[in-house]
Amino acid sequence: MNQCCIKKPVFTLTGKEKLCKSHFLAYFEKKVRKTIRIHKLIDKKENILVAVSGGKDSTVVLYLLHKIINNKKINIEALHIDQSIGNYSRENKKNIRNFCKKYKIKLHETSFRKEFGYSLCYMKSTLKSKGINLKSCSICGILRRYIVNKTAKKLKSTKVVTGHNLDDEAQSVVMNIFKNNIPLLSRLGPKTGLVEDKKFIPRIKPLYFCTEEEVILYCKLMNFDINLEPCPCSLEAYRRSVLNMLDDFENKNTGTKYGIIQSFLEIKPFLKYRGTINACKKCGEAAAKDICSSCKLIENLKK
Ligand code: AMP
Ligand code: ZN
């Protein structure tokens, strides 16, 4: 087994080479730089908005963009949405506030209560009483996307960054195949599928090739103040089963998740969504019909 240097190893690469702390940090950062370069995620002049939960992935991506990008023509700001999920939200908010203060990053803050007048729990039960039975995760995801898009437009952002990692993306690829949802599948990737369309602000995922395990290790080695507990609302059951299945496969066959992502990227050019994607009549975001799923959900809440 190879070892990169004489220092204590903290991580083993797929090829069995062992890395010490400083070599692991360098390896991780190099991978993110390469993703940004190869997939042309960031141009020479940008106004970037990073959507930050206060959790590990988005904090790491914010830190690395702040560290890597040394160009006065690229502005990086962050947006945090408080979902009012008890202690979990309070701790995440505290952590991301401290983080942004430490690194002098402008942090925009809003909340479900401020934007919609209600907490996530309340919205879930209101929708249920109207016969709309959606999981907390689905409601939260739809409403967060709406707020992020609205804020990005207000701030004239040129890119929105999220902390999605390789594990998240491999799960999404498999889920969309299992559900035969080719339109959604075709829109995955390190840069959103709608980048060609000037109406939509591109979303980018610089941690696209970083595994969950690598992100957690990076956080720990960097001593970031981060709550590593999952959201108490937790993942929807379907995603959780796919996650468990992929973890099981990965343990028995190293490289499975990477294989899924790489295969997807190779077939993506052939998946170009042929249907029309409309701009939502209410908010202007991507919509399969006249009105996008966020606006429909908000309409139902207000009814
Ligand atoms: P999730 O859907 O929880 O896997 O989150 C996906 C991405 O959405 C994260 O990596 C963040 O970039 C962003 N995000 C999640 N929660 C929040 C939040 N409360 N405020 C702002 N952005 C968020
Ligand atoms: Zn809309």
Side-chain angles (χ1 to χ4, degrees):
M1 231 171 262
N2 298 324
Q3 198 168 317
C4 69
C5 62
I6 50 165
K7 288 186 205 137
K8 187 174 149 239
V10 294
F11 186 74
T12 307
L13 292 171
T14 323
K16 302 278 187 257
E17 188 188 354
K18 293 194 170 213
L19 301 181
C20 69
K21 176 178 169 178
S22 61
H23 281 108
F24 170 78
L25 295 177
Y27 149 84
F28 186 89
E29 292 176 17
K30 191 173 166 198
K31 183 142 76 163
V32 176
R33 283 175 202 270
K34 192 172 165 193
T35 305
I36 294 175
R37 191 179 67 246
I38 304 271
H39 291 275
K40 300 186 175 66
L41 299 190
I42 297 175
D43 290 331
K44 292 202 174 72
K45 199 175 161 208
E46 297 267 20
N47 187 21
I48 292 176
L49 185 65
V50 186
V52 284
S53 63
K56 59 180 175 30
D57 303 296
S58 48
T59 305
V60 167
V61 86
L62 178 61
Y63 172 77
L64 282 178
L65 289 187
H66 177 73
K67 180 175 176 183
I68 292 172
I69 292 170
N70 228 333
N71 176 347
K72 289 211 167 62
K73 289 188 177 154
I74 300 181
N75 178 43
I76 300 171
E77 296 182 0
L79 167 68
H80 174 71
I81 302 160
D82 183 347
Q83 300 131 302
S84 313
I85 310 176
N87 246 343
Y88 172 80
S89 292
R90 272 192 291 276
E91 202 173 327
N92 278 350
K93 182 152 78 179
K94 182 188 89 203
N95 288 340
I96 197 65
R97 275 183 180 168
N98 289 340
F99 187 89
C100 289
K101 199 167 162 198
K102 180 169 175 189
Y103 292 100
K104 298 189 175 59
I105 299 168
K106 187 170 171 58
L107 176 67
H108 302 268
E109 286 186 36
T110 186
S111 65
F112 281 168
R113 281 214 174 90
K114 226 183 261 169
E115 300 283 338
F116 308 113
Y118 313 106
S119 70
L120 180 59
C121 269
Y122 184 88
M123 289 191 276
K124 186 178 178 211
S125 45
T126 308
L127 286 166
K128 196 171 174 191
S129 70
K130 295 178 180 179
I132 303 163
N133 241 328
L134 282 173
K135 308 237 166 49
S136 302
C137 283
S138 311
I139 302 172
C140 183
I142 293 171
L143 297 180
R144 263 193 282 131
R145 175 175 273 271
Y146 174 85
I147 298 174
V148 169
N149 286 333
K150 189 176 120 181
T151 313
K153 270 191 200 137
K154 195 175 89 191
L155 297 174
K156 298 197 167 30
S157 310
T158 52
K159 296 265 162 68
V160 165
V161 175
T162 61
H164 290 99
N165 63 35
L166 185 134
D167 288 55
D168 300 327
E169 198 72 359
Q171 288 154 25
S172 299
V173 168
V174 171
M175 281 167 67
N176 284 315
I177 292 175
F178 281 8
K179 293 188 173 184
N180 187 23
N181 196 338
I182 303 301
L184 261 191
L185 178 69
S186 68
R187 281 155 64 186
L188 293 173
K191 212 174 188 182
T192 47
L194 294 169
V195 284
E196 308 84 13
D197 196 322
K198 295 266 183 292
K199 279 199 291 273
F200 306 107
I201 301 171
R203 285 181 169 240
I204 57 169
K205 303 167 186 167
L207 302 185
Y208 200 77
F209 294 98
C210 303
T211 65
E212 178 112 347
E213 187 195 354
E214 290 171 340
V215 177
I216 293 174
L217 181 58
Y218 189 86
C219 279
K220 288 185 176 161
L221 296 174
M222 293 296 293
N223 284 323
F224 287 156
D225 254 334
I226 282 166
N227 174 18
L228 289 171
E229 292 297 312
C231 172
C233 294
S234 205
L235 292 180
E236 52 165 315
Y238 197 88
R239 184 175 279 271
R240 179 151 300 280
S241 337
V242 172
L243 179 156
N244 290 338
M245 179 190 71
L246 293 185
D247 277 352
D248 189 36
F249 257 84
E250 183 73 41
N251 286 335
K252 292 178 188 144
N253 312 277
T254 310
T256 297
K257 292 174 192 170
Y258 181 76
I260 294 170
I261 289 302
Q262 213 42 53
S263 306
F264 165 68
L265 289 176
E266 281 180 38
I267 58 172
K268 185 175 155 76
F270 304 101
L271 286 177
K272 279 233 175 266
Y273 183 48
R274 287 181 188 84
T276 44
I277 295 201
N278 306 309
C280 168
K281 289 217 164 105
K282 294 210 155 179
C283 72
E285 276 316 308
K289 297 191 183 126
D290 277 1
I291 292 178
C292 73
S293 44
S294 318
C295 288
K296 202 178 270 163
L297 192 71
I298 295 160
E299 250 183 17
N300 279 317
L301 268 172
K302 288 183 182 160
K303 247 187 218 165

